[in-house]
Amino acid sequence: QKISNIWFGPKERTFATTLMVSSLTFGYAFGAIIPQFFMNLVDDPLEQNPADIRKQVHKMMLVTAYLGTAALILTVLLMKAKPETPPSKGAELEKYSVSKSLKTLLKDWNTMTLITASAIVNGASIVYTSTINQVTAPFGVSSNEISNLLSLSTIFGLVGSAIGAAMTHKNKGYNLVII
């Protein structure tokens, strides 16, 4: 939210924050697809050659490191610390320290409710992604199909969240979302 406050006006902040948070989730979806381009896995793990798996994982990690490094370099070179003109009066105000802000947030019931709900959703997502192989194995689903399933479910979750957020914003039903 600090980036949104510094770079965007009051009417644009919610969308900017949502876009930044969603980009992280989109990264998870992208990360679920990447392995199928590098890994040649077979259904029976006993048929896999460990040396081949090591080479495939090494190549996948190198490409991922190259992509991450390129993104970091572009960010360092192109992103300024703040805009030339503050987008609002709030962007000019003195900010609280992290510890003071954290204490204030932890005392707020609505914030704790949202944090708890987010933790439950993230936990369920982790359980889903870590058990999908065991659940689908009896049905002969390949690793590539599982990667696609995980990516699609993440993307559908993002789209559904965006639609829900737009409807909540339009109808001003914030209390219903929290409950």
Side-chain angles (χ1 to χ4, degrees), residues 33-72:
I33 293 175
I34 288 177
Q36 69 182 329
F37 296 112
F38 297 96
M39 305 297 292
N40 296 320
L41 301 176
V42 295
D43 291 333
D44 185 5
L46 297 176
E47 295 179 15
Q48 288 292 132
N49 180 353
D52 289 342
I53 294 174
R54 274 194 295 280
K55 287 179 187 176
Q56 293 168 7
V57 169
H58 183 260
K59 185 176 179 182
M60 179 179 65
M61 291 178 76
L62 279 176
V63 169
T64 304
Y66 293 149
L67 290 172
T69 302
L72 175 65

Side-chain angles (χ1 to χ4, degrees), residues 90-168:
E92 297 175 16
L93 297 174
E94 183 181 343
K95 307 298 183 249
Y96 290 123
S97 68
V98 174
S99 61
K100 184 174 182 179
S101 297
L102 187 59
K103 287 177 186 175
T104 303
L105 285 174
L106 292 176
K107 291 177 185 176
D108 182 55
W109 174 254
N110 291 326
T111 300
M112 293 309 297
T113 303
L114 289 173
I115 288 173
T116 302
S118 179
I120 291 169
V121 169
N122 284 328
S125 177
I126 290 168
V127 168
Y128 172 69
T129 57
S130 62
T131 59
I132 194 73
N133 279 335
Q134 291 85 2
V135 172
T136 57
F139 304 103
V141 180
S142 72
S143 296
N144 287 346
E145 291 169 327
I146 291 170
S147 292
N148 292 336
L149 175 67
L150 291 172
S151 295
L152 284 174
S153 65
T154 302
I155 291 168
F156 287 147
L158 281 172
V159 171
S161 296
I163 292 169
M167 290 173 56
T168 301

